């Protein structure tokens, strides 16, 4: 393991690369020689293994036609379940508690349709004001479908500083009228990790179901959803899990809820042996598989076979160790090299509270990102003022991080960003 002290030199970055026990995985990714990718928290890069398993799925289609459901390299009929099994170690669950299906927002709809059970005066949903907008839209529409006004029934915990959430504030908001809590595992902007274990225990003490959006943590940090007794969780696989654009998402349901009827039912939620009986009464799978709706998007599942194999080999604890270390290294370098340029690190300093990226705040952030891209660095911008930089454990080198900070320093010193309008691009 790399040593913990810090030197700002290129020699030191190269030494850290030599000591990096995960460095062998870097060669498996398609990296461009003239560019440094810092956006793996938005869209992970393609690996050769993910490409191979995608092409194998295409070959199965070519070779087997309809029989690809049960034959070939990766039979499609049980692929969502097999990938659930491969994903389970990333979230700390047993294989039956995880299924790879749907997308983040669709899975949230499914889980809210199932676990939002308003009764008496317990009718409200608790979320937070920093969460990702799609989650809020989904919750608002779920409330409307049940005849509740989102303005009065969706409670959003406030942030004290616009950056972080305090667990105490969330717990204070767990009042008697809350039926369900939906929170992020890691905040998408600041990268703060919430204390999921504590929040789950506090929610359950008050008889409230709790679920987490794991988009910004799965593949970057370990979880213990089963041990913490989390009711459910959902996430995407296109960020840290490198499953490709629009890759199929994942969901976890605690085994204590097995046997409940899914809120949004469909035939792929059937017990596998019953599905093709074609009965008009659903017999739900006695696993998280019950929360599937329709036919799986096989070509968007296939890259995950190769990608998740890499996670099994690397180990999520090792990934977290490098991720924390390389992110700490990035923050050390920023503090050392960029102190004069008004860039504020808006990410928690403590390891236990930090996810997989570093947020830099600056009023010129949009055009600093444009200048970084012009200089071959791919960052990510989140309005109004955040530059997200994500060194990824499986494919980012310490030398690349060192170079990114040198490039950023030159951009700031020469005010190169002034060549660009301070407006966001369409996507990032
Ligand atoms: C935290 C979070 N939640 C939800 C979503 C929406 O995901 P999807 O578009 O896959 O439904 C995203 C997308 O980036 C996200 O980052």
């Amino acid at each position: 393991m790399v040593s913990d002290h810090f030197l700002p030199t290129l020699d030191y970055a190269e030494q850290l690369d030599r000591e990096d026990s995960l460095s062998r995985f870097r060669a498996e990714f398609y990296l461009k020689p003239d560019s440094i990718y810092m956006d793996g928290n938005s869209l992970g890069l393609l690996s050769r293994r993910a490409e191979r398993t995608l092409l194998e799925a295409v070959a199965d289609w070519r070779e087997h036609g309809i029989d690809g459901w049960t034959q070939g390299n990766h039979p499609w009929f049980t692929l969502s379940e097999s990938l659930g099994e491969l994903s389970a170690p990333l979230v700390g669950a047993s294989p039956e508690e995880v299924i790879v299906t749907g997308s983040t927002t669709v899975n949230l709809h499914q889980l809210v349709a199932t676990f939002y059970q308003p009764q008496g005066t317990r009718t409200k949903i608790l979320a937070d004001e920093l969460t990702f907008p799609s989650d809020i839209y989904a919750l608002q529409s779920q409330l409307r479908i049940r005849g509740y006004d989102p303005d009065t029934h969706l409670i959003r915990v406030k942030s004290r500083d616009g950056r972080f959430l305090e667990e105490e504030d969330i717990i204070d908001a767990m009042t008697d009228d809350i039926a369900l809590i939906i929170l992020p595992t890691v905040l998408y902007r600041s990268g703060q990790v919430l204390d999921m274990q504590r929040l789950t225990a506090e929610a359950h003490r008050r008889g409230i179901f709790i679920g987490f959006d794991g988009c910004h943590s799965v593949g970057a940090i370990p979880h213990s959803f089963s041990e913490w007794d989390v009711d459910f969780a959902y996430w995407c696989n296109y960020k840290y899990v490198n499953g490709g654009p629009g890759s199929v998402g994942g969901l976890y349901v605690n085994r204590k809820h097995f046997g409940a009827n899914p809120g949004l039912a469909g035939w792929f939620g059937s017990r596998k042996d019953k599905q093709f009986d074609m009965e008009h009464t659903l017999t739900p799978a006695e696993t998280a598989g019950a929360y599937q709706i329709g036919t799986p998007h096989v070509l968007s599942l296939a890259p995950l076979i190769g990608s998740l194999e890499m996670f099994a080999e690397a180990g999520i604890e090792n990934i977290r160790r490098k991720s924390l270390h390389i992110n700490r290294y990035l923050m050390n370098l920023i503090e050392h090299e960029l102190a004069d340029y008004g860039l504020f690190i808006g990410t928690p300093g403590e390891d236990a509270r930090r996810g997989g990226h570093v947020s830099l705040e600056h009023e010129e952030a949009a055009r600093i990102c444009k200048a970084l891209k012009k200089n071959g660095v791919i960052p990510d911008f989140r309005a109004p003022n955040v530059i997200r930089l994500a060194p990824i454990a499986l494919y980012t080198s310490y030398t690349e991080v060192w170079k990114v900070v040198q490039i950023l320093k030159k951009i700031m010193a020469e005010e190169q960003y002034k060549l660009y309008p301070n407006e966001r691009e369409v996507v990032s």
Side-chain angles (χ1 to χ4, degrees):
M1 187 51 217
V2 287
S3 51
D4 251 351
H5 78 284
F6 162 78
L7 290 173
T9 61
L10 177 57
D11 277 355
Y12 182 65
E14 290 170 348
Q15 180 196 326
L16 293 178
D17 281 329
R18 284 192 297 275
E19 292 172 0
D20 175 6
S21 64
L22 295 179
S23 61
R24 68 183 187 283
F25 290 100
R26 182 171 155 80
E28 299 210 33
F29 285 88
Y30 285 98
L31 298 158
K32 287 197 182 161
D34 51 352
S35 125
I36 304 179
Y37 197 72
M38 286 282 133
D39 206 3
N41 59 323
S42 264
L43 180 69
L45 289 180
L46 175 65
S47 65
R48 287 178 173 75
R49 279 200 241 192
E51 181 184 49
R52 173 177 50 77
T53 53
L54 171 60
L55 294 176
E56 283 170 359
V58 173
D60 284 342
W61 177 22
R62 188 173 56 221
E63 185 66 22
H64 301 287
I66 187 75
D67 287 333
W69 287 101
T70 51
Q71 296 173 21
N73 292 295
H74 315 286
W76 309 326
F77 190 52
T78 47
L79 189 50
S80 303
E81 284 75 10
S82 323
L83 289 171
E85 191 173 337
L86 276 173
S87 306
L90 300 188
V91 296
S94 56
E96 319 81 70
E97 289 176 313
V98 183
I99 190 82
V100 175
T101 189
S103 67
T104 314
T105 311
V106 169
N107 289 339
L108 173 58
H109 274 289
Q110 167 68 293
L111 293 161
V112 176
T114 307
F115 289 98
Y116 174 49
Q117 299 168 1
Q119 267 172 3
T121 53
R122 211 183 254 286
T123 52
K124 296 183 179 170
I125 299 180
L126 181 64
D128 69 273
E129 67 167 4
L130 299 181
T131 208
F132 198 82
S134 197
D135 292 34
I136 294 296
Y137 306 155
L139 295 176
Q140 288 168 331
S141 68
Q142 285 286 336
L143 282 165
R144 267 186 230 109
I145 290 171
R146 306 287 189 99
Y148 294 106
D149 178 357
D151 288 345
T152 52
H153 279 68
L154 179 60
I155 309 300
R156 274 169 272 186
V157 177
K158 292 215 171 321
S159 161
R160 298 184 193 181
D161 58 3
R163 207 172 274 129
F164 304 132
L165 294 171
E166 299 304 322
E167 277 83 1
E168 287 73 20
D169 296 345
I170 300 173
I171 294 164
D172 285 348
M174 295 181 187
T175 46
D176 287 348
D177 48 0
I178 303 294
L180 177 68
I181 303 172
I182 303 286
L183 291 167
T185 54
V186 168
L187 272 67
Y188 75 96
R189 204 185 294 261
S190 68
Q192 177 196 355
V193 181
L194 289 181
D195 186 339
M196 292 165 256
Q197 182 170 18
R198 177 176 171 205
L199 293 167
T200 302
E202 294 292 344
H204 288 170
R205 195 162 295 144
R206 293 162 178 78
I208 310 173
F209 284 152
I210 185 163
F212 288 96
D213 176 336
C215 282
H216 286 272
S217 62
V218 175
I221 73 177
H223 309 69
S224 303
F225 285 152
S226 294
E227 187 192 320
W228 300 335
D229 202 29
V230 168
D231 291 295
F232 61 87
Y234 55 97
W235 57 91
C236 70
N237 282 314
Y238 46 74
K239 300 180 194 289
Y240 292 100
V241 189
N242 310 316
S247 169
V248 178
L251 68 79
Y252 151 87
V253 174
N254 192 307
R255 63 168 57 257
K256 71 185 177 188
H257 299 302
F258 287 177
N261 261 320
L264 305 178
W267 75 318
F268 262 81
S270 294
R271 241 174 56 186
K272 289 271 175 226
D273 58 326
K274 296 284 291 173
Q275 182 170 344
F276 279 86
D277 288 351
M278 307 307 244
E279 288 168 2
H280 277 196
T281 304
L282 171 68
T283 307
E286 284 142 8
T287 63
Y291 297 89
Q292 295 171 90
I293 302 176
T295 305
H297 301 174
V298 172
L299 298 184
S300 296
L301 284 169
L304 284 169
I305 307 164
S307 191
L308 285 168
E309 268 175 15
M310 293 169 78
F311 281 85
E313 275 175 39
I316 190 65
E317 299 289 344
N318 296 327
I319 287 172
R320 174 62 165 163
R321 202 172 308 123
K322 174 169 171 191
S323 167
L324 279 174
H325 190 268
I326 197 167
N327 276 280
R328 158 80 49 215
Y329 173 68
L330 171 60
M331 293 194 294
N332 283 340
L333 273 178
I334 290 167
E335 275 167 6
H336 188 271
E337 300 284 344
L338 293 163
D340 297 339
Y341 300 109
L343 286 154
F344 177 83
I345 299 180
T347 296
E350 316 91 284
D351 281 2
R353 291 186 82 213
R354 194 171 69 248
H357 74 263
V358 170
S359 287
L360 278 180
E361 296 175 17
H362 195 285
E363 58 186 12
E364 308 282 7
R367 49 182 174 171
I368 295 172
C369 283
K370 291 189 173 78
L372 280 168
K373 279 195 171 172
K374 188 76 187 164
N375 282 273
V377 176
I378 315 298
D380 180 274
F381 170 68
R382 282 293 169 258
N385 66 342
V386 172
I387 305 164
R388 295 188 304 187
L389 297 173
I392 301 298
L394 289 179
Y395 55 77
T396 308
S397 70
Y398 288 84
T399 306
E400 283 182 313
V401 170
W402 185 86
K403 285 182 185 160
V404 166
V405 175
Q406 300 309 312
I407 291 167
L408 185 52
K409 186 175 179 181
K410 193 159 184 286
I411 289 170
M412 300 311 289
E414 294 174 2
E415 298 187 337
Q416 286 182 29
Y417 54 87
K418 291 196 169 163
L419 296 171
Y420 310 91
N422 199 26
E423 291 162 2
R424 70 172 171 81
E425 301 286 317
V426 176
V427 174
S428 70

